[in-house]
Amino acid sequence: MQNALAVVTVVVVGMMVGVEFAVAVFVNPILDRLPDDSCIAARSDGARVLGRVMPVWYIGSMVLGAVWAAVAWGGVGASLVMAATALLAVSVVMSLLLLVPINNRAKTWTAEGRPADWKQQAGRWDRYHYVRVGVIVLAFALFAVALNR
């Protein structure tokens, strides 16, 4: 049971890290090279689509980590699982406080109705996102190490 839970957690968190890493390193830099109207349309659509999916993925990953931590309590690697789960909790708090407010505004952006500072807002979101990606990469690494204990 614990091994299956550990594998599922590592796979789910690993896929989430892959998506978020791709957004940070590939997708948004590509979008930023598009003409402004296309960039706004793409970022707005991304904010809507990923804004629906990612909260479930983040919270689900955190729940999986918490369940794994409870099942592994007192065993080898349990402290790594707890630390990884705590990092996922940090990423959720960061998301709610820093990224979601910008994302909620970005969902409404259009070529005709964009704020004057949309590029600065997008840049701020990207910087916060880089930090969040670092946090979840570290959580993933801790989960992976705990899996091998």
Side-chain angles (χ1 to χ4, degrees):
M1 164 73 175
Q2 182 175 334
N3 286 341
L5 177 62
V7 168
V8 168
T9 303
V10 168
V11 169
V12 169
V13 172
M15 290 187 333
M16 180 180 73
V17 167
V19 168
E20 295 290 42
F21 181 83
V23 167
V25 176
F26 300 109
V27 175
N28 282 351
I30 290 169
L31 297 181
D32 288 343
R33 289 192 295 272
L34 294 172
D36 285 355
D37 290 354
S38 298
C39 180
I40 288 170
R43 278 191 176 257
S44 180
D45 190 48
R48 283 188 299 276
V49 172
L50 293 175
R52 285 190 300 269
V53 173
M54 297 316 288
V56 174
W57 211 339
Y58 271 82
I59 292 168
S61 295
M62 194 172 59
V63 168
L64 283 170
V67 171
W68 181 10
V71 169
W73 188 261
V76 176
S79 60
L80 294 171
V81 175
M82 289 185 287
T85 303
L87 286 170
L88 290 180
V90 167
S91 75
V92 168
V93 171
M94 284 179 60
S95 297
L96 292 171
L97 295 178
L98 303 172
L99 289 113
V100 169
I102 299 169
N103 199 66
N104 286 340
R105 289 190 299 273
K107 288 191 283 191
T108 67
W109 294 348
T110 64
E112 302 79 28
R114 62 183 179 215
D117 69 339
W118 74 271
K119 285 185 182 181
Q120 290 80 11
Q121 290 187 56
R124 189 168 38 255
W125 188 95
D126 287 344
R127 288 187 298 278
Y128 292 148
H129 183 65
Y130 296 144
V131 174
R132 178 173 64 179
V133 168
V135 170
I136 65 174
V137 165
L138 182 55
F140 174 68
L142 292 174
F143 280 137
V145 170
L147 179 65
N148 291 314
R149 297 255 170 171

